[in-house]
Amino acid sequence: MKTKTEFATKLGLIAATVGSAVGLGNVWRFPAETHTNGGSAFLLLYILCVLVLGIPVMLAEFSLGRGSRADAIGAFVKLAPGKKWWIVGSCAVLASYLILSYYMVVAGWTLEYLVESMSGGLYESSEMTAGDVSQRAYFAAKMDEYICTDWKPLLYSFGLIAINTGVLLGGVRGGIERLSNWLMPLLFVILMLMVGVSLSLPNSMEGVVYFLEPDFSKITPGVVVNALGQAFFSLSLGMGILITYSSYYPDNTKMTQTSVIVALLSLLVAVMMGLIIFPAMKSFGLDNEPIQGATLVFVTLPQIFGRMPWSELWSSLFFILLLVAALTSTVSISEVSVAMLEDRFKMGRRRAVLTAMVPLLVLSSLCSLSFGSLSDFKIFGKTIFDTLDSFTTNIMLPLVSLGVCVFIGWFAPKHLMKEQLSNYGKLRNSTGGLTEWIIRYAAPGLIILIFIYNYL
């Protein structure tokens, strides 16, 4: 019988898992939520949600993965043979694949902006040095030029699919782990450099105060739900990634320690992004501008870089940072489907990778073209891209997480989680009882609360 591949080193294990968690949720969703929902009041809520809910659910997925040594579907098949729990794993694989189809498009935009930043194309016109309104209009027009056309975004998306394919063909150790060992340190080096530059700008401390001074008047039940959703999204819960990656963990991996490290590093990235964005926006008088997702990344930040010396350098560094986050995320999401094809259908690595990646050429094309020639095609009033984003983020991921919690809490083999967190009694697990209580009661209740708030 073929032995399950394992990560070669503890550093590689941590780097790969952190890379799977650090993505666009940390880079652009977190600053936007913080800006809208009371500064550090939202930050404190988010931290609380990560520590109280995110880490326990992460440990549940870790226990499923290493306890079964199987893919996201096979974990349920092995641990509950003859039962229908494999449907939860199937939903995780489907959700991750649908997310991948539009995530590749966003990653492609990032690569395109990196190329344009390095070549000077992003800052080629004197219009960008005009007043605030003209600058914003200039970069908004650039975003339309780069994103809302057909062929260039398609080509960059295909380029990201090709890069992912090459990494995945290298396997768990030679591809995923090696990539993570190089890219995650690079990500933190660029983050620290850009934090230093942002904090050195005039009046930057006013932006730090805005970011770190809580406004509790803005905390509403909706903001609490947003913080819960941000915690799930930023830790990649419900996608099958953590189940898949933990199936590669060696038996001596300290999973509680790993989950805390991953969660804290993910939080650190989010906080550092806040320390980059808010001081810079305040310094250049852009703190009243709306910051939402793509607009923040592709309009507001290029506007800021355009006012700094060496605009192309800072813009290039930022988009390298974003590309690193996108690449480590897309590779980890892709591995969910690849591992499933290897385990369920007994495919070799090469065949599994190609089977998973080739259909993305079609699915990602549809998502990309929904900003161009397919922009008028709507599904319940939304573009293809927005439909997949909303369906996976608001419905599928919470459902999978709910299924994982109910299964681990009530239906998994007795003592599965306790055995996994203690490495079969070799480690002391003082928080095991609390973690199991959260998985059984608190986490399902809070996930249901997200559903109720979103749809009632």
Side-chain angles (χ1 to χ4, degrees), residues 4 70-74 93 168 172 240 243-245 247-248 333-347 349 352-353 356:
K4 186 75 173 180
D71 63 284
I73 297 175
V93 174
L168 292 164
V172 173
I243 298 174
T244 302
Y245 271 20
S247 73
Y248 305 140
I333 300 172
S334 300
E335 180 64 16
V336 175
S337 296
V338 173
M340 183 274 294
L341 292 169
E342 284 186 299
D343 287 359
R344 296 298 92 212
F345 296 92
K346 308 303 177 187
M347 292 185 183
R349 183 75 184 182
V353 169

PDB file of all heavy atoms in Angstrom, residues 4 70-74 93 168 172 240 243-245 247-248 333-347 349 352-353 356:
ATOM      1  N   LYS A   4       1.263   7.485   2.720  1.00  0.00           N
ATOM      2  CA  LYS A   4       0.809   8.858   2.545  1.00  0.00           C
ATOM      3  C   LYS A   4       1.984   9.823   2.623  1.00  0.00           C
ATOM      4  O   LYS A   4       2.814   9.758   3.534  1.00  0.00           O
ATOM      5  CB  LYS A   4      -0.212   9.205   3.642  1.00  0.00           C
ATOM      6  CG  LYS A   4      -0.864  10.571   3.484  1.00  0.00           C
ATOM      7  CD  LYS A   4      -1.894  10.559   2.375  1.00  0.00           C
ATOM      8  CE  LYS A   4      -2.672  11.859   2.335  1.00  0.00           C
ATOM      9  NZ  LYS A   4      -3.680  11.880   1.272  1.00  0.00           N
ATOM     10  N   ALA A  70      -6.528  11.052   4.774  1.00  0.00           N
ATOM     11  CA  ALA A  70      -7.270  10.992   3.514  1.00  0.00           C
ATOM     12  C   ALA A  70      -7.628  12.399   3.053  1.00  0.00           C
ATOM     13  O   ALA A  70      -7.437  13.378   3.768  1.00  0.00           O
ATOM     14  CB  ALA A  70      -8.519  10.142   3.682  1.00  0.00           C
ATOM     15  N   ASP A  71      -8.171  12.466   1.839  1.00  0.00           N
ATOM     16  CA  ASP A  71      -8.623  13.731   1.272  1.00  0.00           C
ATOM     17  C   ASP A  71      -9.899  14.185   1.963  1.00  0.00           C
ATOM     18  O   ASP A  71     -10.417  13.512   2.864  1.00  0.00           O
ATOM     19  CB  ASP A  71      -8.857  13.560  -0.228  1.00  0.00           C
ATOM     20  CG  ASP A  71      -9.962  12.564  -0.498  1.00  0.00           C
ATOM     21  OD1 ASP A  71      -9.720  11.336  -0.367  1.00  0.00           O
ATOM     22  OD2 ASP A  71     -11.082  13.001  -0.808  1.00  0.00           O
ATOM     23  N   ALA A  72     -10.448  15.321   1.523  1.00  0.00           N
ATOM     24  CA  ALA A  72     -11.606  15.910   2.199  1.00  0.00           C
ATOM     25  C   ALA A  72     -12.835  15.007   2.151  1.00  0.00           C
ATOM     26  O   ALA A  72     -13.652  15.016   3.082  1.00  0.00           O
ATOM     27  CB  ALA A  72     -11.927  17.274   1.584  1.00  0.00           C
ATOM     28  N   ILE A  73     -12.999  14.225   1.096  1.00  0.00           N
ATOM     29  CA  ILE A  73     -14.117  13.274   1.026  1.00  0.00           C
ATOM     30  C   ILE A  73     -13.749  11.989   1.751  1.00  0.00           C
ATOM     31  O   ILE A  73     -14.524  11.464   2.563  1.00  0.00           O
ATOM     32  CB  ILE A  73     -14.482  12.971  -0.440  1.00  0.00           C
ATOM     33  CG1 ILE A  73     -14.965  14.235  -1.153  1.00  0.00           C
ATOM     34  CG2 ILE A  73     -15.564  11.882  -0.506  1.00  0.00           C
ATOM     35  CD1 ILE A  73     -15.233  14.048  -2.631  1.00  0.00           C
ATOM     36  N   GLY A  74     -12.554  11.492   1.491  1.00  0.00           N
ATOM     37  CA  GLY A  74     -12.115  10.231   2.082  1.00  0.00           C
ATOM     38  C   GLY A  74     -12.054  10.268   3.599  1.00  0.00           C
ATOM     39  O   GLY A  74     -12.214   9.230   4.261  1.00  0.00           O
ATOM     40  N   VAL A  93     -15.028  20.059  -1.363  1.00  0.00           N
ATOM     41  CA  VAL A  93     -14.268  19.980  -2.618  1.00  0.00           C
ATOM     42  C   VAL A  93     -14.913  20.857  -3.685  1.00  0.00           C
ATOM     43  O   VAL A  93     -14.224  21.601  -4.402  1.00  0.00           O
ATOM     44  CB  VAL A  93     -14.172  18.521  -3.097  1.00  0.00           C
ATOM     45  CG1 VAL A  93     -13.506  18.453  -4.478  1.00  0.00           C
ATOM     46  CG2 VAL A  93     -13.383  17.671  -2.104  1.00  0.00           C
ATOM     47  N   LEU A 168       2.141  22.194  -8.553  1.00  0.00           N
ATOM     48  CA  LEU A 168       1.445  20.984  -8.113  1.00  0.00           C
ATOM     49  C   LEU A 168       2.085  19.719  -8.676  1.00  0.00           C
ATOM     50  O   LEU A 168       2.110  18.676  -8.011  1.00  0.00           O
ATOM     51  CB  LEU A 168      -0.032  21.063  -8.510  1.00  0.00           C
ATOM     52  CG  LEU A 168      -0.840  22.125  -7.762  1.00  0.00           C
ATOM     53  CD1 LEU A 168      -2.153  22.401  -8.483  1.00  0.00           C
ATOM     54  CD2 LEU A 168      -1.104  21.706  -6.326  1.00  0.00           C
ATOM     55  N   VAL A 172       3.847  17.310  -3.031  1.00  0.00           N
ATOM     56  CA  VAL A 172       3.689  17.982  -1.744  1.00  0.00           C
ATOM     57  C   VAL A 172       5.008  18.577  -1.271  1.00  0.00           C
ATOM     58  O   VAL A 172       5.074  19.734  -0.862  1.00  0.00           O
ATOM     59  CB  VAL A 172       3.118  16.998  -0.688  1.00  0.00           C
ATOM     60  CG1 VAL A 172       3.103  17.638   0.699  1.00  0.00           C
ATOM     61  CG2 VAL A 172       1.719  16.550  -1.085  1.00  0.00           C
ATOM     62  N   GLY A 240     -11.905  22.569   2.794  1.00  0.00           N
ATOM     63  CA  GLY A 240     -11.239  21.282   2.662  1.00  0.00           C
ATOM     64  C   GLY A 240      -9.724  21.383   2.640  1.00  0.00           C
ATOM     65  O   GLY A 240      -9.027  20.359   2.629  1.00  0.00           O
ATOM     66  N   ILE A 243      -8.172  20.116   6.004  1.00  0.00           N
ATOM     67  CA  ILE A 243      -8.311  18.653   6.073  1.00  0.00           C
ATOM     68  C   ILE A 243      -7.246  18.002   5.194  1.00  0.00           C
ATOM     69  O   ILE A 243      -6.555  17.058   5.608  1.00  0.00           O
ATOM     70  CB  ILE A 243      -9.721  18.204   5.628  1.00  0.00           C
ATOM     71  CG1 ILE A 243     -10.782  18.787   6.557  1.00  0.00           C
ATOM     72  CG2 ILE A 243      -9.817  16.677   5.601  1.00  0.00           C
ATOM     73  CD1 ILE A 243     -12.210  18.500   6.098  1.00  0.00           C
ATOM     74  N   THR A 244      -7.100  18.522   3.984  1.00  0.00           N
ATOM     75  CA  THR A 244      -6.130  17.964   3.032  1.00  0.00           C
ATOM     76  C   THR A 244      -4.700  18.130   3.530  1.00  0.00           C
ATOM     77  O   THR A 244      -3.921  17.172   3.548  1.00  0.00           O
ATOM     78  CB  THR A 244      -6.293  18.649   1.659  1.00  0.00           C
ATOM     79  OG1 THR A 244      -7.636  18.468   1.188  1.00  0.00           O
ATOM     80  CG2 THR A 244      -5.322  18.061   0.640  1.00  0.00           C
ATOM     81  N   TYR A 245      -4.335  19.341   3.931  1.00  0.00           N
ATOM     82  CA  TYR A 245      -2.968  19.593   4.374  1.00  0.00           C
ATOM     83  C   TYR A 245      -2.629  18.819   5.640  1.00  0.00           C
ATOM     84  O   TYR A 245      -1.504  18.316   5.787  1.00  0.00           O
ATOM     85  CB  TYR A 245      -2.756  21.088   4.594  1.00  0.00           C
ATOM     86  CG  TYR A 245      -2.296  21.840   3.365  1.00  0.00           C
ATOM     87  CD1 TYR A 245      -2.475  21.308   2.088  1.00  0.00           C
ATOM     88  CD2 TYR A 245      -1.679  23.079   3.454  1.00  0.00           C
ATOM     89  CE1 TYR A 245      -2.067  21.991   0.967  1.00  0.00           C
ATOM     90  CE2 TYR A 245      -1.260  23.771   2.330  1.00  0.00           C
ATOM     91  CZ  TYR A 245      -1.456  23.225   1.075  1.00  0.00           C
ATOM     92  OH  TYR A 245      -1.041  23.901  -0.037  1.00  0.00           O
ATOM     93  N   SER A 247      -3.661  16.003   6.487  1.00  0.00           N
ATOM     94  CA  SER A 247      -3.427  14.585   6.174  1.00  0.00           C
ATOM     95  C   SER A 247      -1.963  14.337   5.819  1.00  0.00           C
ATOM     96  O   SER A 247      -1.508  13.193   5.799  1.00  0.00           O
ATOM     97  CB  SER A 247      -4.330  14.136   5.019  1.00  0.00           C
ATOM     98  OG  SER A 247      -3.915  14.665   3.772  1.00  0.00           O
ATOM     99  N   TYR A 248      -1.205  15.428   5.544  1.00  0.00           N
ATOM    100  CA  TYR A 248       0.221  15.329   5.262  1.00  0.00           C
ATOM    101  C   TYR A 248       1.070  15.603   6.510  1.00  0.00           C
ATOM    102  O   TYR A 248       2.290  15.614   6.423  1.00  0.00           O
ATOM    103  CB  TYR A 248       0.627  16.326   4.168  1.00  0.00           C
ATOM    104  CG  TYR A 248      -0.153  16.221   2.877  1.00  0.00           C
ATOM    105  CD1 TYR A 248      -0.547  17.366   2.187  1.00  0.00           C
ATOM    106  CD2 TYR A 248      -0.510  14.990   2.339  1.00  0.00           C
ATOM    107  CE1 TYR A 248      -1.253  17.289   0.995  1.00  0.00           C
ATOM    108  CE2 TYR A 248      -1.229  14.905   1.155  1.00  0.00           C
ATOM    109  CZ  TYR A 248      -1.603  16.062   0.488  1.00  0.00           C
ATOM    110  OH  TYR A 248      -2.309  15.982  -0.693  1.00  0.00           O
ATOM    111  N   ILE A 333      -5.706  25.688  -2.507  1.00  0.00           N
ATOM    112  CA  ILE A 333      -7.079  25.359  -2.908  1.00  0.00           C
ATOM    113  C   ILE A 333      -7.074  24.282  -3.988  1.00  0.00           C
ATOM    114  O   ILE A 333      -7.882  23.350  -3.953  1.00  0.00           O
ATOM    115  CB  ILE A 333      -7.826  26.622  -3.404  1.00  0.00           C
ATOM    116  CG1 ILE A 333      -7.890  27.682  -2.309  1.00  0.00           C
ATOM    117  CG2 ILE A 333      -9.245  26.259  -3.832  1.00  0.00           C
ATOM    118  CD1 ILE A 333      -8.426  29.022  -2.775  1.00  0.00           C
ATOM    119  N   SER A 334      -6.144  24.387  -4.924  1.00  0.00           N
ATOM    120  CA  SER A 334      -6.039  23.386  -5.997  1.00  0.00           C
ATOM    121  C   SER A 334      -5.729  22.002  -5.451  1.00  0.00           C
ATOM    122  O   SER A 334      -6.237  20.989  -5.940  1.00  0.00           O
ATOM    123  CB  SER A 334      -4.948  23.791  -6.995  1.00  0.00           C
ATOM    124  OG  SER A 334      -5.207  25.040  -7.592  1.00  0.00           O
ATOM    125  N   GLU A 335      -4.890  21.941  -4.412  1.00  0.00           N
ATOM    126  CA  GLU A 335      -4.479  20.659  -3.853  1.00  0.00           C
ATOM    127  C   GLU A 335      -5.662  19.872  -3.294  1.00  0.00           C
ATOM    128  O   GLU A 335      -5.621  18.641  -3.251  1.00  0.00           O
ATOM    129  CB  GLU A 335      -3.423  20.886  -2.771  1.00  0.00           C
ATOM    130  CG  GLU A 335      -2.897  19.616  -2.105  1.00  0.00           C
ATOM    131  CD  GLU A 335      -2.157  18.679  -3.049  1.00  0.00           C
ATOM    132  OE1 GLU A 335      -1.773  19.116  -4.163  1.00  0.00           O
ATOM    133  OE2 GLU A 335      -1.947  17.503  -2.664  1.00  0.00           O
ATOM    134  N   VAL A 336      -6.723  20.562  -2.891  1.00  0.00           N
ATOM    135  CA  VAL A 336      -7.921  19.866  -2.385  1.00  0.00           C
ATOM    136  C   VAL A 336      -8.474  18.932  -3.457  1.00  0.00           C
ATOM    137  O   VAL A 336      -8.759  17.757  -3.196  1.00  0.00           O
ATOM    138  CB  VAL A 336      -9.001  20.884  -1.957  1.00  0.00           C
ATOM    139  CG1 VAL A 336     -10.292  20.161  -1.550  1.00  0.00           C
ATOM    140  CG2 VAL A 336      -8.497  21.740  -0.807  1.00  0.00           C
ATOM    141  N   SER A 337      -8.619  19.425  -4.680  1.00  0.00           N
ATOM    142  CA  SER A 337      -9.145  18.607  -5.776  1.00  0.00           C
ATOM    143  C   SER A 337      -8.137  17.567  -6.236  1.00  0.00           C
ATOM    144  O   SER A 337      -8.504  16.424  -6.540  1.00  0.00           O
ATOM    145  CB  SER A 337      -9.545  19.504  -6.957  1.00  0.00           C
ATOM    146  OG  SER A 337     -10.603  20.368  -6.595  1.00  0.00           O
ATOM    147  N   VAL A 338      -6.863  17.955  -6.278  1.00  0.00           N
ATOM    148  CA  VAL A 338      -5.825  17.012  -6.709  1.00  0.00           C
ATOM    149  C   VAL A 338      -5.749  15.827  -5.755  1.00  0.00           C
ATOM    150  O   VAL A 338      -5.716  14.659  -6.180  1.00  0.00           O
ATOM    151  CB  VAL A 338      -4.452  17.719  -6.802  1.00  0.00           C
ATOM    152  CG1 VAL A 338      -3.341  16.707  -7.068  1.00  0.00           C
ATOM    153  CG2 VAL A 338      -4.469  18.779  -7.906  1.00  0.00           C
ATOM    154  N   ALA A 339      -5.742  16.105  -4.453  1.00  0.00           N
ATOM    155  CA  ALA A 339      -5.691  15.024  -3.462  1.00  0.00           C
ATOM    156  C   ALA A 339      -6.912  14.125  -3.558  1.00  0.00           C
ATOM    157  O   ALA A 339      -6.807  12.891  -3.426  1.00  0.00           O
ATOM    158  CB  ALA A 339      -5.585  15.614  -2.055  1.00  0.00           C
ATOM    159  N   MET A 340      -8.069  14.719  -3.797  1.00  0.00           N
ATOM    160  CA  MET A 340      -9.296  13.928  -3.944  1.00  0.00           C
ATOM    161  C   MET A 340      -9.200  12.993  -5.141  1.00  0.00           C
ATOM    162  O   MET A 340      -9.563  11.807  -5.048  1.00  0.00           O
ATOM    163  CB  MET A 340     -10.501  14.861  -4.088  1.00  0.00           C
ATOM    164  CG  MET A 340     -11.850  14.159  -4.178  1.00  0.00           C
ATOM    165  SD  MET A 340     -12.313  13.649  -5.862  1.00  0.00           S
ATOM    166  CE  MET A 340     -12.517  15.242  -6.676  1.00  0.00           C
ATOM    167  N   LEU A 341      -8.686  13.483  -6.264  1.00  0.00           N
ATOM    168  CA  LEU A 341      -8.560  12.652  -7.461  1.00  0.00           C
ATOM    169  C   LEU A 341      -7.535  11.532  -7.248  1.00  0.00           C
ATOM    170  O   LEU A 341      -7.727  10.406  -7.717  1.00  0.00           O
ATOM    171  CB  LEU A 341      -8.158  13.519  -8.657  1.00  0.00           C
ATOM    172  CG  LEU A 341      -9.227  14.512  -9.142  1.00  0.00           C
ATOM    173  CD1 LEU A 341      -8.636  15.487 -10.150  1.00  0.00           C
ATOM    174  CD2 LEU A 341     -10.409  13.767  -9.769  1.00  0.00           C
ATOM    175  N   GLU A 342      -6.468  11.840  -6.537  1.00  0.00           N
ATOM    176  CA  GLU A 342      -5.459  10.810  -6.239  1.00  0.00           C
ATOM    177  C   GLU A 342      -6.044   9.723  -5.340  1.00  0.00           C
ATOM    178  O   GLU A 342      -5.843   8.520  -5.587  1.00  0.00           O
ATOM    179  CB  GLU A 342      -4.249  11.438  -5.545  1.00  0.00           C
ATOM    180  CG  GLU A 342      -3.334  12.217  -6.462  1.00  0.00           C
ATOM    181  CD  GLU A 342      -2.084  12.684  -5.737  1.00  0.00           C
ATOM    182  OE1 GLU A 342      -2.207  13.445  -4.758  1.00  0.00           O
ATOM    183  OE2 GLU A 342      -0.978  12.283  -6.159  1.00  0.00           O
ATOM    184  N   ASP A 343      -6.768  10.130  -4.303  1.00  0.00           N
ATOM    185  CA  ASP A 343      -7.262   9.161  -3.316  1.00  0.00           C
ATOM    186  C   ASP A 343      -8.515   8.433  -3.778  1.00  0.00           C
ATOM    187  O   ASP A 343      -8.612   7.214  -3.658  1.00  0.00           O
ATOM    188  CB  ASP A 343      -7.559   9.873  -1.988  1.00  0.00           C
ATOM    189  CG  ASP A 343      -6.298  10.276  -1.249  1.00  0.00           C
ATOM    190  OD1 ASP A 343      -5.198   9.982  -1.760  1.00  0.00           O
ATOM    191  OD2 ASP A 343      -6.403  10.877  -0.162  1.00  0.00           O
ATOM    192  N   ARG A 344      -9.471   9.194  -4.295  1.00  0.00           N
ATOM    193  CA  ARG A 344     -10.769   8.579  -4.650  1.00  0.00           C
ATOM    194  C   ARG A 344     -10.695   7.794  -5.956  1.00  0.00           C
ATOM    195  O   ARG A 344     -11.329   6.752  -6.100  1.00  0.00           O
ATOM    196  CB  ARG A 344     -11.848   9.659  -4.801  1.00  0.00           C
ATOM    197  CG  ARG A 344     -12.222  10.466  -3.572  1.00  0.00           C
ATOM    198  CD  ARG A 344     -12.808   9.624  -2.458  1.00  0.00           C
ATOM    199  NE  ARG A 344     -11.755   9.193  -1.540  1.00  0.00           N
ATOM    200  CZ  ARG A 344     -11.742   8.075  -0.870  1.00  0.00           C
ATOM    201  NH1 ARG A 344     -12.733   7.217  -1.010  1.00  0.00           N
ATOM    202  NH2 ARG A 344     -10.751   7.772  -0.076  1.00  0.00           N
ATOM    203  N   PHE A 345      -9.970   8.330  -6.927  1.00  0.00           N
ATOM    204  CA  PHE A 345      -9.944   7.718  -8.259  1.00  0.00           C
ATOM    205  C   PHE A 345      -8.609   7.048  -8.579  1.00  0.00           C
ATOM    206  O   PHE A 345      -8.390   6.613  -9.710  1.00  0.00           O
ATOM    207  CB  PHE A 345     -10.275   8.780  -9.321  1.00  0.00           C
ATOM    208  CG  PHE A 345     -11.668   9.332  -9.197  1.00  0.00           C
ATOM    209  CD1 PHE A 345     -11.921  10.481  -8.449  1.00  0.00           C
ATOM    210  CD2 PHE A 345     -12.739   8.694  -9.809  1.00  0.00           C
ATOM    211  CE1 PHE A 345     -13.205  10.987  -8.329  1.00  0.00           C
ATOM    212  CE2 PHE A 345     -14.025   9.199  -9.694  1.00  0.00           C
ATOM    213  CZ  PHE A 345     -14.256  10.345  -8.950  1.00  0.00           C
ATOM    214  N   LYS A 346      -7.723   6.998  -7.595  1.00  0.00           N
ATOM    215  CA  LYS A 346      -6.434   6.306  -7.723  1.00  0.00           C
ATOM    216  C   LYS A 346      -5.619   6.792  -8.919  1.00  0.00           C
ATOM    217  O   LYS A 346      -4.946   6.021  -9.594  1.00  0.00           O
ATOM    218  CB  LYS A 346      -6.651   4.794  -7.809  1.00  0.00           C
ATOM    219  CG  LYS A 346      -7.520   4.215  -6.700  1.00  0.00           C
ATOM    220  CD  LYS A 346      -6.953   4.528  -5.317  1.00  0.00           C
ATOM    221  CE  LYS A 346      -7.861   4.004  -4.213  1.00  0.00           C
ATOM    222  NZ  LYS A 346      -7.412   4.448  -2.866  1.00  0.00           N
ATOM    223  N   MET A 347      -5.692   8.099  -9.186  1.00  0.00           N
ATOM    224  CA  MET A 347      -4.915   8.672 -10.280  1.00  0.00           C
ATOM    225  C   MET A 347      -3.476   8.914  -9.839  1.00  0.00           C
ATOM    226  O   MET A 347      -3.217   9.184  -8.666  1.00  0.00           O
ATOM    227  CB  MET A 347      -5.527  10.006 -10.726  1.00  0.00           C
ATOM    228  CG  MET A 347      -6.873   9.915 -11.400  1.00  0.00           C
ATOM    229  SD  MET A 347      -7.380  11.552 -12.004  1.00  0.00           S
ATOM    230  CE  MET A 347      -9.010  11.176 -12.652  1.00  0.00           C
ATOM    231  N   ARG A 349      -0.090  11.329  -9.810  1.00  0.00           N
ATOM    232  CA  ARG A 349      -0.015  12.762  -9.532  1.00  0.00           C
ATOM    233  C   ARG A 349      -0.201  13.598 -10.792  1.00  0.00           C
ATOM    234  O   ARG A 349      -0.992  14.548 -10.800  1.00  0.00           O
ATOM    235  CB  ARG A 349       1.338  13.085  -8.882  1.00  0.00           C
ATOM    236  CG  ARG A 349       1.517  14.558  -8.481  1.00  0.00           C
ATOM    237  CD  ARG A 349       0.735  14.862  -7.249  1.00  0.00           C
ATOM    238  NE  ARG A 349       0.799  16.275  -6.887  1.00  0.00           N
ATOM    239  CZ  ARG A 349       0.219  16.791  -5.808  1.00  0.00           C
ATOM    240  NH1 ARG A 349      -0.451  16.017  -4.980  1.00  0.00           N
ATOM    241  NH2 ARG A 349       0.307  18.080  -5.542  1.00  0.00           N
ATOM    242  N   ALA A 352      -3.803  13.500 -12.066  1.00  0.00           N
ATOM    243  CA  ALA A 352      -4.702  14.185 -11.140  1.00  0.00           C
ATOM    244  C   ALA A 352      -4.573  15.705 -11.282  1.00  0.00           C
ATOM    245  O   ALA A 352      -5.587  16.430 -11.292  1.00  0.00           O
ATOM    246  CB  ALA A 352      -4.411  13.755  -9.709  1.00  0.00           C
ATOM    247  N   VAL A 353      -3.335  16.187 -11.391  1.00  0.00           N
ATOM    248  CA  VAL A 353      -3.118  17.632 -11.529  1.00  0.00           C
ATOM    249  C   VAL A 353      -3.747  18.152 -12.813  1.00  0.00           C
ATOM    250  O   VAL A 353      -4.463  19.168 -12.810  1.00  0.00           O
ATOM    251  CB  VAL A 353      -1.608  17.949 -11.491  1.00  0.00           C
ATOM    252  CG1 VAL A 353      -1.356  19.411 -11.897  1.00  0.00           C
ATOM    253  CG2 VAL A 353      -1.050  17.686 -10.090  1.00  0.00           C
ATOM    254  N   ALA A 356      -7.532  18.203 -12.707  1.00  0.00           N
ATOM    255  CA  ALA A 356      -8.068  19.286 -11.880  1.00  0.00           C
ATOM    256  C   ALA A 356      -7.889  20.655 -12.535  1.00  0.00           C
ATOM    257  O   ALA A 356      -8.783  21.514 -12.441  1.00  0.00           O
ATOM    258  CB  ALA A 356      -7.388  19.278 -10.516  1.00  0.00           C
TER     259      ALA A 356
END
